[in-house]
Amino acid sequence: MGIECPKCRFDNPENTTYCGKCGARLAAQSDIPASDTKTLQTSGEELFPGYTFADRYQIIEELGTGGMGRVYRVLDTKLNEEVALKLLKSEIASDKKTLDRFSNELKIARKIVHKNVGRMFDLNEERGTSFIAMEYVPGEDLKSFIRRAAPLSATRSISIAKQICEGLSEAHRLGVIHRDLKPSNIMIDKEGNARIMDFGIARSLKAKGMTGEGVIIGTPEYMSPEQVEGKDVDQRSDIYSLGVILYEMVTGNVPFEGETPFSLAMKHKTEPPPDPRDINTQVPEELSAVVLRCMEKDREKRYQSTGELLTELSRIEKGFSRTDAILSKRELKAEIPRKRLQYFIVPGILLLAAILITAGYFIFERVFQKGKLESAALSASARKMIVVLPFENLGPPMDEYFAEGMTEEITSRLANIKALGVIARESAAQYADTDKTVQQIGEELGVDYVLGGTVRWARSQEGLGRVRITPKLIQTSDNTYLWAGDYEHVIDDIFEIQSEIAQSVVEKLGVTLLEPERRAIEVPPTENIDAYQAYLRGRWHAGRPHFTLENWNLVIQSYQQAVELDPSFALAYAELSKAHSRLYFFQHDLSEKRREMARKAANRAFELASESSKIHLVLSYYYLWAFRDSQQALRELEIAEKGMPHNAEVMQAKAYIYELQGRFEEARDAFKNAFEISPRNASLPTELMFVYWYTRRYPQAIEAANQAIALAPDEVWPYLGKAFVYWSWKGKTEEARSALEAISKSHSWLPWAWFWQEMIDGRYREAIKRLSLTSGEWIRLKMFARPKSMLSAFAYELLNEPRLARRDYESAQLSLEAEIKKWPEDPRLHSSLGIVYAHLGRKENAIQMGKRAVELFPVSRDAVYGIPYAIDLAFIYTTLGEYEEALTQIEYLLSKPSWVSVSWLRHDPRWIPLLDHPEFKPLLGKYSKNSQKQ
């Protein structure tokens, strides 16, 4: 009998060390444990594929060996997810100070959540072996990539450097310096994306017994002069190392070599690096200048932030043709090796095979996708469609939250059954207090059955009292009652009632329950009825139509009470995390304390119910809102979708993430899919309106707005959105004014919208009056934070009343400077203060503030919410007379999805100084067709 490869299952001859098919290391017969699941007891020795380490990590393959120890690709059997394990060498693991130092550093490094940074998870010990768990990034490290492909083209090098910059920017924002940035610590994944690894390790691994100043941390080939001298380091040390990496990419060599690490390090301190163009004449002069500036000995002469470096790289990249940039990305992906294959196949055969495989793939894919679509359509048609209408509250108004909670809970339980198609609660909510017949509801929603009923909670002085629920199931085609029930129990039995109702509905519809579905229906969210009451109150407050800080504090208080009453209430922890994250996302509280509260609640929810689809759905919001980590948010949604395959909220959340990533076509399709499941949810066509607006499909945007208005004529956002679309589409127009006039109730965005409507129409004094009609001194929105005096100052300036303008600008300056002291990471404040400084003639401060806002929230980080800060920076440059810089920003915004359009630029008074600029009209002409999409 041969030896089966644990990786590819190929049967190898006996006494074989490596697999003849995939090259994986084979365990000798004596190495194979009695059971595949037996945990290997180790103290740092080599592990073999198939073993399970620490009762959790199943070894897949060894990835490499470094100065710290061996690194393995493993399957985390607890999470069913691949991760990387770094087993530390015994001399490192035995140094308690080193481990304590690293543990402290890891707490900070774990906060770095970014698409270009590999996540650090944990430091643990198993039977004397210390190990680090971290994100597994399939691909190749940059050092290996450079060895194979160097010198890299300028476009490819810039693409990689920009991604490294973006990852470093997030780390530096959190106060984390890498200290050992080098190509072997940067992975290039299969999509060609760069990921920085090993944050927090370098600082921890000080030489044994050495502390304080004078300690050299880093790798000599990439070490900054201040590191060589043992001085304190900051973000500019990482910029130096990145300069060395960029040097190596474009030349194929590091700038300095030495016989010893010490002599090599001293060259970084004393010798100027050779010009990259002396080694590779194809390096553009501008790029060479960037490399040399990164590597300045005096850190004051380097780029002072990665944001500044990123701006410079982007500017150079714009000078290259778009074709080159796209080709570079494709080449980068293509050159990541598939292990060993390329070394053993004759290039001609490989090319022929690729042609045949590609042709076969497209034929198969067409057939497969057609069958998949037909199967999906068949599956959808086979499901029985049902809507749970809002249960009517027969008790006092104070019990409304309880009736709403019953509706939601029963809807949620039925949604776990794959044979049922359950209309989302947002669409069902439109039929509260409706006069429409069951048949009309059935036709509008496309459902076969309607479940409705009443709830009465009879409280008593002795306790919580009794609850009576009377559900009724009706067939829509002929308005026949299929079933009606009457449940009256003590309130403590509420979970059993919910389960019985759901099971009765399933039985009457003739649906056979699978065992996991039965468990999902029967398992209560908590055993504590008081905690459940608090949870329902939180859900009720969270469902109120408009976001207010006061209301969301009530949401948090309710969920906090729920988890205090029941510390094992997983869903309440998840919603608590979501609420904290939402406050951070809406920029009501940008403190690290707020994110920490969100993190703790999210971790606790996951610990309690890691298998729950609902938990993963809520965790996706946590990653999206608290960290803008779109990749992790999508991973959570993919897990949630397995248990909630036809859920409108899952699809809507996906659409939000696609928007953030700039994938607007996919966002559009996801919103449409959600709307098919939730056809009465007016927020979905409203979201579609915004997608069409950003992508300059203005007629379709207006059509979507009108659809939302037809569904919810009292909602504000469809009207606001229509006004915004008309500003971009036609500029100065009565249609936008009419849309605003149709709004029948107050809204936080309305004062801002009316101010700019008057400004666009040239009615500057009316704009000032609009501001005076609103209370408070600020207009604070998710995208903007403006003192009202700042807005009135601009209007006075256009009215040629400089004294009043200066008075208000100075007032705005005082307000903004005071706020920035409290919230130094809020891009809205930096952006606004930059505009004020520009109007007060403080040029250097204005540009610094504008750039800081863009650095804090770039479009590359969020394709929608990053736009306002790029617009403000263009306005700052325009105000200062830096027209070339302003036009560069404006063209950038015109070249990508945004609300910046030719008509908007012609009519918004911010751009009046540009109207006579010789390059402005040609720029508008270049993009005029793009701004008038039909």
Side-chain angles (χ1 to χ4, degrees):
M1 181 178 177
I3 303 175
E4 183 180 76
C5 174
K7 183 177 178 184
C8 69
R9 303 303 177 191
F10 182 71
D11 190 26
N12 294 275
E14 291 184 13
N15 302 320
T16 306
T17 305
Y18 294 95
C19 177
K21 183 177 181 182
C22 71
R25 174 73 182 262
L26 302 176
Q29 293 295 326
S30 59
D31 295 328
I32 299 174
S35 168
D36 286 342
T37 61
K38 182 180 178 182
T39 297
L40 180 69
Q41 299 179 14
T42 178
S43 57
E45 68 267 27
E46 183 178 0
L47 307 183
F48 295 103
Y51 284 108
T52 299
F53 176 66
D55 288 319
R56 176 170 179 173
Y57 302 105
Q58 186 176 12
I59 308 299
I60 299 174
E61 62 177 328
E62 181 181 329
L63 296 174
T65 304
M68 294 180 61
R70 297 182 184 275
V71 184
Y72 295 89
R73 173 186 168 205
V74 305
L75 176 67
D76 184 339
T77 57
K78 184 175 180 181
L79 300 179
N80 195 29
E81 184 176 298
E82 289 188 10
V83 299
L85 279 194
K86 182 171 287 192
L87 271 62
L88 302 183
K89 287 182 176 179
S90 56
E91 57 265 34
I92 295 174
S94 62
D95 185 350
K96 186 177 185 303
K97 288 184 178 179
T98 295
L99 291 180
D100 289 344
R101 225 171 2 241
F102 180 74
S103 180
N104 291 331
E105 288 294 314
L106 182 61
K107 291 176 183 177
I108 302 173
R110 285 176 62 178
K111 296 179 181 178
I112 307 172
V113 181
H114 192 275
K115 64 180 180 179
N116 296 119
V117 176
R119 296 293 305 277
M120 304 290 288
F121 296 142
D122 210 353
L123 170 68
N124 277 309
E125 181 180 325
E126 173 65 19
R127 301 180 187 273
T129 298
S130 295
F131 64 94
I132 304 165
M134 61 185 72
E135 182 180 5
Y136 168 63
V137 180
E140 176 183 23
D141 68 72
L142 181 58
K143 187 71 174 180
S144 173
F145 182 69
I146 292 173
R147 284 172 181 161
R148 292 191 300 101
L152 310 187
S153 68
T155 50
R156 195 178 313 167
S157 300
I158 288 175
S159 174
I160 296 172
K162 282 176 63 182
Q163 294 179 69
I164 298 171
C165 269
E166 290 180 357
L168 286 174
S169 290
E170 177 63 10
H172 294 168
R173 186 181 72 81
L174 296 171
V176 182
I177 311 302
H178 194 288
R179 293 177 171 83
D180 193 21
L181 196 65
K182 53 189 176 184
S184 57
N185 276 340
I186 297 164
M187 292 296 295
I188 305 297
D189 68 23
K190 292 181 179 180
E191 297 302 316
N193 300 309
R195 306 282 284 278
I196 308 170
M197 312 300 290
D198 285 356
F199 264 103
I201 291 180
R203 186 175 182 179
S204 306
L205 299 181
K206 295 180 179 179
K208 192 169 183 178
M210 298 178 67
T211 58
E213 290 192 12
V215 177
I216 297 177
I217 304 170
T219 303
E221 288 87 348
Y222 306 93
M223 190 178 291
S224 67
E226 56 268 25
Q227 286 176 285
V228 173
E229 296 180 46
K231 294 181 178 178
D232 288 338
V233 300
D234 57 23
Q235 71 274 9
R236 294 170 293 183
S237 294
D238 283 347
I239 290 173
Y240 183 95
S241 301
L242 178 52
V244 180
I245 294 169
L246 193 49
Y247 190 108
E248 187 174 3
M249 285 194 286
V250 297
T251 66
N253 303 307
V254 290
F256 302 115
E257 294 181 351
E259 293 182 3
T260 66
F262 179 77
S263 64
L264 178 56
M266 289 306 295
K267 288 183 179 181
H268 279 283
K269 179 183 175 184
T270 59
E271 293 185 14
D275 191 320
R277 290 168 59 81
D278 293 343
I279 302 171
N280 180 6
T281 57
Q282 300 301 310
V283 179
E285 188 173 349
E286 285 184 302
L287 182 55
S288 179
V290 167
V291 173
L292 294 176
R293 184 176 171 189
C294 288
M295 295 181 62
E296 284 282 358
K297 307 297 181 191
D298 182 354
R299 51 182 158 185
E300 295 297 329
K301 294 181 180 179
R302 294 176 210 154
Y303 296 100
Q304 298 301 291
S305 70
T306 47
E308 186 182 355
L309 173 57
L310 183 61
T311 300
E312 188 69 7
L313 290 171
S314 299
R315 185 186 65 77
I316 296 172
E317 187 180 50
K318 285 184 69 175
F320 302 143
S321 71
R322 178 170 172 79
T323 304
D324 287 345
I326 293 172
L327 181 62
S328 170
K329 184 76 170 181
R330 287 177 178 168
E331 289 173 345
L332 187 61
K333 290 167 65 175
E335 289 193 11
I336 295 174
R338 290 175 174 81
K339 295 182 179 178
R340 298 179 176 81
L341 184 63
Q342 60 182 347
Y343 303 113
F344 299 105
I345 301 180
V346 178
I349 298 174
L350 181 59
L351 177 62
L352 178 60
I355 293 170
L356 292 173
I357 291 169
T358 302
Y361 168 79
F362 281 115
I363 293 170
F364 171 78
E365 180 71 6
R366 257 190 160 170
V367 173
F368 174 75
Q369 290 296 341
K370 182 179 179 184
K372 189 176 177 182
L373 289 172
E374 289 174 350
S375 174
L378 181 62
S379 174
S381 64
R383 286 185 292 138
K384 296 182 177 182
M385 300 300 297
I386 185 171
V387 61
V388 182
L389 297 183
F391 277 51
E392 182 184 356
N393 172 39
L394 299 182
M398 62 181 290
D399 292 343
E400 186 64 41
Y401 79 92
F402 184 76
E404 189 174 296
M406 292 306 96
T407 308
E408 184 177 332
E409 191 64 34
I410 293 168
T411 301
S412 177
R413 292 182 186 233
L414 292 175
N416 285 302
I417 302 167
K418 294 181 179 179
L420 293 181
V422 183
I423 296 296
R425 60 186 176 85
E426 291 82 2
S427 284
Q430 304 294 323
Y431 294 95
D433 303 318
T434 184
D435 293 329
K436 293 183 177 179
T437 67
V438 167
Q439 289 173 311
Q440 287 174 318
I441 294 172
E443 289 173 3
E444 290 181 1
L445 294 177
V447 297
D448 310 304
Y449 307 95
V450 167
L451 178 67
T454 60
V455 176
R456 181 187 292 276
W457 179 7
R459 301 169 186 264
S460 66
Q461 293 181 350
E462 293 75 21
L464 290 173
R466 300 177 68 81
V467 62
R468 182 176 184 178
I469 303 178
T470 56
K472 50 188 178 182
L473 179 65
I474 305 172
Q475 187 166 286
T476 60
S477 59
D478 54 7
N479 200 27
T480 5
Y481 277 73
L482 297 182
W483 167 75
D486 190 352
Y487 297 86
E488 184 172 348
H489 291 261
V490 294
I491 191 67
D492 289 355
D493 294 338
I494 189 62
F495 305 122
E496 293 178 20
I497 299 174
Q498 294 166 353
S499 178
E500 286 180 28
I501 292 172
Q503 293 196 52
S504 295
V505 169
V506 169
E507 181 183 334
K508 296 301 178 184
L509 295 180
V511 173
T512 302
L513 282 179
L514 303 174
E515 190 53 36
E517 295 172 338
R518 184 177 302 280
R519 287 199 302 271
I521 285 179
E522 292 176 350
V523 175
T526 174
E527 299 291 345
N528 188 311
I529 192 65
D530 294 324
Y532 185 61
Q533 297 296 316
Y535 169 78
L536 290 183
R537 283 193 293 272
R539 292 288 294 171
W540 188 81
H541 287 301
R544 296 313 89 202
H546 301 304
F547 183 99
T548 65
L549 184 58
E550 180 183 8
N551 193 61
W552 276 84
N553 281 330
L554 291 175
V555 172
I556 288 173
Q557 288 172 19
S558 298
Y559 290 143
Q560 187 64 45
Q561 182 185 10
V563 300
E564 287 171 1
L565 289 166
D566 180 4
S568 63
F569 196 167
L571 203 52
Y573 275 111
E575 293 291 352
L576 178 61
S577 173
K578 183 179 176 183
H580 283 307
S581 302
R582 189 180 177 97
L583 281 183
Y584 191 91
F585 175 70
F586 275 78
Q587 307 196 68
H588 284 280
D589 183 355
L590 287 172
S591 67
E592 193 55 41
K593 181 181 178 182
R594 181 65 63 182
R595 283 212 298 192
E596 181 64 13
M597 288 189 288
R599 185 192 66 79
K600 285 183 177 178
N603 284 348
R604 182 61 177 151
F606 186 78
E607 287 172 7
L608 291 167
S610 61
E611 302 301 318
S612 167
S613 297
K614 284 185 181 180
I615 298 296
H616 287 284
L617 171 59
V618 175
L619 288 178
S620 72
Y621 286 107
Y622 159 69
Y623 285 111
L624 178 64
W625 287 346
F627 292 98
R628 285 299 200 283
D629 184 350
S630 57
Q631 295 300 326
Q632 185 61 36
L634 273 178
R635 281 194 284 268
E636 297 293 341
L637 284 175
E638 286 166 1
I639 297 170
E641 195 170 21
K642 291 176 182 177
M644 306 161 70
H646 307 292
N647 186 280
E649 190 177 0
V650 171
M651 294 179 185
Q652 190 169 0
K654 272 190 173 182
Y656 289 142
I657 294 170
Y658 292 147
E659 276 189 324
L660 179 150
Q661 296 176 330
R663 298 159 63 181
F664 290 102
E665 300 304 314
E666 291 168 270
R668 178 201 63 193
D669 293 342
F671 280 131
K672 283 184 173 180
N673 290 339
F675 193 43
E676 288 179 6
I677 297 172
S678 187
R680 303 296 295 180
N681 184 354
S683 72
L684 294 169
T686 302
E687 296 293 353
L688 271 172
M689 171 195 67
F690 285 115
V691 172
Y692 287 131
W693 178 36
Y694 305 146
T695 53
R696 302 183 178 90
R697 294 177 171 89
Y698 303 126
Q700 292 96 319
I702 296 298
E703 183 181 343
N706 289 335
Q707 189 175 20
I709 290 169
L711 288 171
D714 293 330
E715 283 300 311
V716 174
W717 269 114
Y719 299 102
L720 280 172
K722 280 183 76 170
F724 301 161
V725 172
Y726 280 125
W727 290 352
S728 297
W729 188 7
K730 299 181 179 180
K732 184 177 179 180
T733 169
E734 280 299 317
E735 292 158 306
R737 181 174 287 274
S738 298
L740 293 178
E741 288 172 344
I743 298 173
S744 59
K745 53 188 177 183
S746 63
H747 191 277
S748 57
W749 277 76
L750 201 52
W752 181 89
W754 266 120
F755 172 82
W756 281 108
Q757 179 65 55
E758 303 295 6
M759 295 292 283
I760 289 171
D761 287 345
R763 295 154 53 99
Y764 307 135
R765 211 166 292 283
E766 288 298 319
I768 296 171
K769 287 181 182 178
R770 293 281 184 183
L771 292 175
S772 67
L773 295 174
T774 61
S775 60
E777 299 301 319
W778 285 75
I779 293 180
R780 295 181 191 266
L781 307 170
K782 192 160 49 174
M783 289 184 172
F784 310 102
R786 312 284 206 214
K788 285 160 60 176
S789 56
M790 171 186 168
L791 299 173
S792 60
F794 185 46
Y796 281 127
E797 188 174 309
L798 294 171
L799 286 167
N800 197 24
E801 298 183 24
R803 184 183 62 81
L804 293 175
R806 186 167 190 86
R807 178 201 68 186
D808 284 3
Y809 277 131
E810 288 175 348
S811 172
Q813 175 189 340
L814 293 174
S815 297
L816 284 161
E817 287 176 343
E819 284 294 291
I820 282 182
K821 287 180 181 178
K822 292 190 289 184
W823 306 106
E825 300 299 307
D826 190 337
R828 302 173 302 169
L829 301 175
H830 288 276
S831 199
S832 295
L833 186 55
I835 293 170
V836 170
Y837 280 154
H839 284 279
L840 292 174
R842 295 176 58 174
K843 180 176 180 178
E844 186 176 338
N845 298 122
I847 294 173
Q848 180 184 7
M849 284 290 164
K851 285 185 173 180
R852 179 59 177 154
V854 171
E855 184 180 294
L856 285 168
F857 220 107
V859 175
S860 60
R861 184 182 176 196
D862 191 316
V864 175
Y865 289 98
I867 293 171
Y869 312 115
I871 292 174
D872 284 353
L873 183 58
F875 183 32
I876 290 168
Y877 283 129
T878 300
T879 304
L880 295 170
E882 298 287 338
Y883 298 138
E884 296 300 324
E885 295 290 345
L887 290 172
T888 298
Q889 286 290 321
I890 288 170
E891 181 164 19
Y892 169 72
L893 291 163
L894 285 170
S895 68
K896 64 195 309 95
S898 75
W899 52 85
V900 177
S901 68
V902 169
S903 292
W904 181 73
L905 290 165
R906 283 177 175 150
H907 293 91
D908 190 307
R910 284 176 285 190
W911 318 113
I912 289 174
L914 295 174
L915 294 177
D916 294 327
H917 192 280
E919 295 181 21
F920 190 55
K921 288 184 180 178
L923 178 63
L924 298 186
K926 177 180 176 182
Y927 289 96
S928 60
K929 290 183 179 179
N930 193 38
S931 290
Q932 296 293 336
K933 281 186 179 179
Q934 298 296 318

